[in-house]
Amino acid sequence: MKHSKIDFKDVQGLVRYGYGRLPESCFLLLEIISPRAARDWLKTLDVADAEELSTPPDFALQVAFTHSGLRKIGLSSEIADQFSQEFKTGIYEESRSKRLGDVGENAPREWQWGGDSDNTPHLMLMLYSVKGGLEARKNATVDGLSSAGLALRGCLTSADFGGVEPFGFKDGISQPTVDWDGKRKLDGRDELEYGNLVALGEFLLGHRNEYGKYTDRPLLDLANDPRGILAEAEDKPGKKDFAFNGTYLVFRQLQQHVGRFWKFLDDQVGGDRSERQRLAELMVGRKMGGEALAVKSSSPIPGIDSDKRDANQFTFSSDPDGTRCPFGAHVRRANPRNADLPDGTRGLLSKLIRTLGFGGKGFRGDLISSVRFHRILRRGVEYGEPLPVNDAIKNGGNEIGERGLHFICLNANISRQFEFIQGAWLSSTKFDGMTEESDPIIGNREAVSECPFTNSFSIPQEAGLRRRISGIPAFITVRGGSYFFLPGIRALRYLSSLETD
Ligand code: HEM
C-alpha cells in the first residue's frame, strides 16, 4: 500500500519541530476533575500543528494524555484498551522499573510525580514561548484551569541553557530524519547499512514502520465516530484510526548531579583541566562542542542533512576497536550505528561469507539487532540553574539547587524504541561484550543479577591494554516521569466531542 502524503495540520508541532526558537517552556501536569468541562475547554484550545508557517509563531501549545487521562475525559474502554501494554500499565510498573533501571534512589516511589497511579497526571499541557513571553501565557492558562474542570498538580519549568545540557555538552545534535514523504522502500533490501532516514511509522501511528507494517493501535468501527471526525485506517479500510498522526511521548525528569560529575572526573586526573574534559568527552562520546569522537566516514549517510554532516556523518566502523570513542560511551550505546551484518556489508561475496559465519568477528557482531528499529526523536529541555565546571569543582562537588534534563522522546512503540535503548543498551552491563559497566552518564550503578558491580568504564587504548575507571557514582537521579500519548489534531477534536458522563 502507498503512503498517503502527510497532513501536517493533523500532527502536533512537537513531532516536526523541537521548538528551539521558543526557548522558554513549561509543562503543566493536570488532573481532570470535570470531564464535561474539560472537553469543552479542549474544544477551545489552540494546539499548534506541524504545518510550516510563513512567520514563525511566538507561542506553541501541545497537549498529551496518560492512559488514565484518556479514560477520564471519556474515551471508551473498548478504544483505550487497544493502546500498547506499556502505555496502559504505565512507566512505574515493577518489572518495567527494573528493566529501565528505576530502582534504589531512582525507584518510582521516590519520584516527585508519576511514580504511581495516584500521582500520575491525566494530561500534560506543554507551553513553548519566545523569550519573555512564557510567564503571561502560563498565568493566563493556570487562571482558566478551574473553570475548565482541571486541577493543577504540578508545573515543570524548563530553562534555556543555550543548546547545552547541564554537564556542559552541546545537545540535540543527532536525530533521525523522519521520512515524511515515504521515500524509503521498506522492503528490507536497502537496509543492511546504517541510514538516518527512518520510516514515518516509527514516530507516528497509523503509518508504515521500519518493518513495513502498521503498529497496533486503537481502531474503531465507523459507528463509533458518528460525526466522521477521525481518518480511516490506512491498513484497515472500514475502520477509523483514533491514533492516526499521534505518537507516544516519554517524559523523564532527570536530575543531573553536575558537581558530583566534575568533581569525580577532576579527582581521577589529579586536577588536570584538559584531562578532566577529555575523560568527560570519552564518557559522552562527543567533544563538549558536539564533534563526534569517532572518525567521520567519507561516504554520505542517507537521511543526514548536509548542515548536520560534520557532526553526524559517521558510523563506528571507522573505530572498530573503540580507541577513539569507547564502546561504552553514551552516544555509542544510545545509537550504535551498526549494520545488520557484522563488519560491514559491502559486496555480495563478503556479505555471504559473513552470513555463513566465516568472516572475522568485529564489535558489531555482538549487537542485538539493527539500530533502525530503535530510534527516537528527542525533544528534551533543560531545567534549573546552570553550574559552571569551575564552580562545581570549587564547592567540592556539593551543589545548591536542582538542575537536569526534562528528557522527552517521541516514538510509536515505547517498548521497542525508548525502553530498548534505555534497558538493553544504556543500562546493560553486558553491552558489546563489556562487564561491570552501564552507561557512564545515566547508569544507576545498582547491582543487577549476576553482576554486583556496574560502576566501571573502560577506555580501549591503541597500545592494547584498556584503561579502566572504577567506582563511578551515579550522576543522574530520576525525579519523575510518565508515558503520555500525543494525539493528532483530529483525535483531539474527537475527544472534545465525546458525550459521556
Ligand atoms: C540527563 C541525562 C542525559 C544526558 C546528560 C544526555 C546527554 C547526551 C549528549 C550530550 C548527547 C550527544 C549530543 C547529541 O547527539 O544530541 C546525547 C545523545 C543521545 N542521547 Fe542522551 N543524554 C541523557 C539521557 C538520555 C536518555 C535517557 C536517552 C534514551 C533513553 C538518551 C538517548 C540519546 C540518544 C539516542 C542520543 C543520540 C545518539 C546518536 O544518535 O548519536 N539520552 N545525549
Side-chain angles (χ1 to χ4, degrees):
M1 187 178 289
K2 254 179 86 73
H3 276 285
S4 60
K5 205 171 167 334
I6 183 82
D7 173 10
F8 285 121
K9 278 198 171 311
D10 190 37
V11 180
Q12 291 203 48
L14 192 64
V15 183
R16 193 172 180 201
Y17 307 109
Y19 287 134
R21 288 183 182 197
L22 302 177
E24 290 191 345
S25 59
C26 72
F27 309 115
L28 305 180
L29 306 175
L30 305 174
E31 182 186 346
I32 298 170
I33 307 293
S34 159
R36 191 175 291 272
R39 288 195 296 264
D40 287 343
W41 164 83
L42 192 56
K43 277 189 192 111
T44 64
L45 210 60
D46 190 10
V47 177
D49 63 42
E51 185 89 327
E52 202 170 332
L53 301 173
S54 46
T55 32
D58 58 5
F59 179 71
L61 190 76
Q62 305 282 275
V63 59
F65 289 82
T66 56
H67 190 259
S68 59
L70 287 172
R71 288 287 293 119
K72 182 81 184 187
I73 203 160
L75 193 67
S76 71
S77 60
E78 190 194 342
I79 302 172
D81 285 354
Q82 297 177 59
F83 274 106
S84 68
Q85 197 55 37
E86 56 276 15
F87 177 59
K88 285 190 285 183
T89 45
I91 198 169
Y92 50 77
E93 189 257 338
E94 204 180 327
S95 66
R96 170 156 298 109
S97 295
K98 266 193 207 146
R99 271 180 284 130
L100 297 179
D102 293 341
V103 294
E105 281 189 11
N106 295 322
R109 65 173 174 280
E110 308 286 340
W111 293 2
Q112 288 160 2
W113 65 277
D116 59 35
S117 57
D118 287 340
N119 73 356
T120 292
H122 284 141
L123 67 132
M124 174 170 66
L125 260 192
M126 311 173 81
L127 282 65
Y128 296 88
S129 166
V130 287
K131 271 204 166 93
L134 186 71
E135 196 59 21
R137 296 278 191 171
K138 184 176 94 183
N139 293 341
T141 309
V142 170
D143 286 349
L145 289 179
S146 81
S147 58
L150 299 164
L152 184 64
R153 292 287 170 247
C155 173
L156 307 172
T157 304
S158 304
D160 180 15
F161 279 50
V164 169
E165 55 69 43
F167 293 137
F169 283 79
K170 192 164 191 280
D171 203 1
I173 301 167
S174 174
Q175 297 278 13
T177 304
V178 181
D179 187 13
W180 298 109
D181 303 322
K183 284 191 198 126
R184 289 277 320 283
K185 290 197 201 86
L186 301 175
D187 56 8
R189 259 175 278 166
D190 59 344
E191 286 315 324
L192 295 170
E193 282 292 331
Y194 176 75
N196 203 48
L197 188 66
V198 179
L200 186 55
E202 292 293 304
F203 308 109
L204 279 188
L205 288 153
H207 300 270
R208 289 207 297 159
N209 60 24
E210 279 292 327
Y211 292 98
K213 303 233 158 66
Y214 291 80
T215 305
D216 288 343
R217 63 207 186 276
L219 301 177
L220 292 60
D221 290 332
L222 297 183
N224 285 330
D225 181 20
R227 292 191 175 85
I229 296 171
L230 299 172
E232 207 168 301
E234 276 187 11
D235 53 335
K236 297 258 166 58
K239 289 278 185 188
K240 287 298 187 91
D241 193 343
F242 175 75
F244 189 63
N245 287 337
T247 186
Y248 293 108
L249 184 154
V250 175
F251 196 122
R252 285 165 76 76
Q253 184 182 340
L254 305 175
Q255 178 182 4
Q256 292 178 239
H257 305 290
V258 177
R260 197 186 290 170
F261 179 74
W262 286 110
K263 178 73 173 74
F264 175 81
L265 297 181
D266 197 59
D267 289 346
Q268 292 298 307
V269 297
D272 183 318
R273 261 175 91 132
S274 66
E275 268 303 294
R276 175 178 78 209
Q277 178 165 332
R278 170 89 185 127
L279 191 51
E281 292 175 341
L282 288 166
M283 285 180 163
V284 169
R286 283 189 184 269
K287 294 199 173 173
M288 291 188 76
E291 198 185 316
L293 295 188
V295 145
K296 291 171 200 164
S297 146
S298 52
S299 53
I301 294 178
I304 290 191
D305 304 339
S306 52
D307 60 333
K308 291 204 173 156
R309 286 237 164 110
D310 283 347
N312 226 359
Q313 186 73 10
F314 69 95
T315 67
F316 293 108
S317 58
S318 53
D319 182 24
D321 305 317
T323 47
R324 290 191 188 92
C325 178
F327 299 121
H330 176 69
V331 300
R332 197 159 181 166
R333 283 176 173 267
N335 181 9
R337 299 172 186 243
N338 66 315
D340 275 356
L341 299 170
D343 288 343
T345 55
R346 278 174 228 289
L348 267 180
L349 182 61
S350 68
K351 200 186 291 182
L352 183 66
I353 288 171
R354 288 187 199 101
T355 309
L356 295 175
F358 299 127
K361 186 187 156 307
F363 74 95
R364 288 189 294 183
D366 292 330
L367 293 172
I368 297 159
S369 159
S370 173
V371 296
R372 70 199 163 103
F373 302 117
H374 312 293
R375 303 296 306 276
I376 48 176
L377 279 175
R378 288 176 299 139
R379 295 289 185 250
V381 271
E382 292 73 36
Y383 72 92
E385 285 278 312
L387 180 64
V389 180
N390 286 338
D391 295 358
I393 292 167
K394 236 189 276 161
N395 293 338
N398 296 319
E399 296 179 32
I400 299 166
E402 184 180 322
R403 55 193 56 72
L405 186 65
H406 287 142
F407 173 85
I408 297 170
C409 76
L410 306 176
N411 49 188
N413 185 326
I414 299 176
S415 78
R416 174 163 64 75
Q417 293 169 269
F418 163 71
E419 289 186 351
F420 187 93
I421 297 174
Q422 172 82 22
W425 284 347
L426 298 180
S427 308
S428 170
T429 55
K430 300 197 177 97
F431 181 83
D432 223 354
M434 290 176 291
T435 50
E436 301 189 344
E437 301 197 19
S438 63
D439 187 278
I441 303 297
I442 73 154
N444 62 12
R445 322 300 178 219
E446 295 279 335
V448 293
S449 58
E450 293 167 33
C451 191
F453 300 104
T454 63
N455 57 0
S456 299
F457 176 61
S458 42
I459 307 167
Q461 305 289 311
E462 277 184 16
L465 270 183
R466 288 177 309 169
R467 178 178 168 200
R468 196 164 166 96
I469 313 278
S470 300
I472 306 175
F475 299 130
I476 298 292
T477 305
V478 187
R479 291 288 175 211
S482 192
Y483 288 160
F484 293 91
F485 180 66
L486 188 82
I489 304 291
R490 262 185 288 213
L492 288 175
R493 229 174 42 233
Y494 178 82
L495 287 174
S496 71
S497 76
L498 291 170
E499 284 173 359
T500 61
D501 294 323

